[in-house]
Amino acid sequence: MPTPPDALARWWSAAPGGRALDLGAGTGEAAVFLAQQGFLVDAIERDPEALEGLRRVRAGRTIVVHPVDLRTFPLISDTYALVLASAVLHFLRPSELWPLADLLAASLVHGGVLVAEVLTADDPELLALRAASVPEVEPNTFAIDPPDSLIHFFEAGELRRVFAGLEELEYAEDRRAAETEAGYRSGATLVARRRA
């Protein structure tokens, strides 16, 4: 059985069941996990290499692959029992993030659950980008390779504020061991529900 993100493993059963949205689905581990729990999953992924793996694992499962940028995917109100945004929202500018967050919140059914994980401003990559004099395109937001990509590092409490309209179920900011030069990554995790 695939290993889902920790917060998803803890909270998927709090969702009412039905449809799930996996933003930045990668090669599909979380999408497969959600399908195994009975969800019909819309898996959004634009990276061609990841899409190959995602298309392979969806066979015979209730997963619909959407090979699009998450900013162009049409979000319909009152559709999803669960929205997963694991390690994807930090690839948006804040000016894109806030309007998208409102659409994501509205796309949840009443009682639907959002699970989001992002990088935070105490991540060692932010220090490295500043040390390399990479210009900021927006606050704590840097252009990275390829040229149309960027990364945003969330300030303390910023993820919580972005989804303030939802009922918070869990929130944490922490450091996790990772294979980086510093030996860790810093991030925030939010689990929140659209009020019933």
Side-chain angles (χ1 to χ4, degrees):
M1 178 178 260
T3 304
D6 291 345
L8 180 62
R10 287 191 302 276
W11 286 99
W12 71 267
S13 61
R19 292 179 70 178
L21 176 63
D22 185 0
L23 297 171
T27 56
E29 284 192 3
V32 168
F33 172 81
L34 288 167
Q36 289 173 337
Q37 310 315 315
F39 290 93
L40 170 60
V41 183
D42 284 316
I44 312 301
E45 181 56 59
R46 72 176 189 167
D47 179 79
E49 289 181 27
L51 277 167
E52 285 184 37
L54 182 56
R55 286 185 173 120
R56 276 194 300 274
V57 301
R58 75 156 181 204
R61 296 189 169 95
T62 55
I63 300 172
V64 179
V65 175
H66 301 272
V68 297
D69 187 297
L70 65 93
R71 292 167 288 203
T72 63
F73 183 74
L75 293 166
I76 301 168
S77 295
D78 303 308
T79 301
Y80 295 106
L82 190 142
V83 171
L84 175 64
S86 180
V88 68
L89 297 178
H90 52 245
F91 294 117
L92 301 173
R93 298 170 184 262
S95 58
E96 297 170 319
L97 174 65
W98 286 78
L100 178 64
D102 290 342
L103 294 172
L104 289 172
S107 77
L108 289 167
V109 298
H110 292 282
V113 173
L114 168 87
V115 178
E117 297 177 328
V118 297
L119 294 174
T120 52
D122 58 338
D123 188 84
E125 186 177 353
L126 173 62
L127 301 175
L129 289 166
R130 287 207 168 120
S133 299
V134 176
E136 291 183 56
V137 296
E138 287 188 26
N140 292 332
T141 310
F142 302 84
I144 56 173
D145 293 327
D148 65 338
S149 296
L150 55 84
I151 189 162
H152 172 70
F153 297 89
F154 284 64
E155 291 288 346
E158 183 179 352
L159 181 61
R160 182 182 254 163
R161 291 189 300 275
V162 167
F163 290 103
L166 299 176
E167 175 190 5
E168 185 178 305
L169 301 174
E170 176 184 316
Y171 184 76
E173 294 180 13
D174 55 21
R175 289 183 173 177
R176 297 175 191 149
E179 292 182 19
T180 65
E181 191 172 306
Y184 69 92
R185 297 303 308 246
S186 296
T189 301
L190 172 70
V191 181
R193 177 181 7 233
R194 184 174 175 191
R195 291 172 178 87

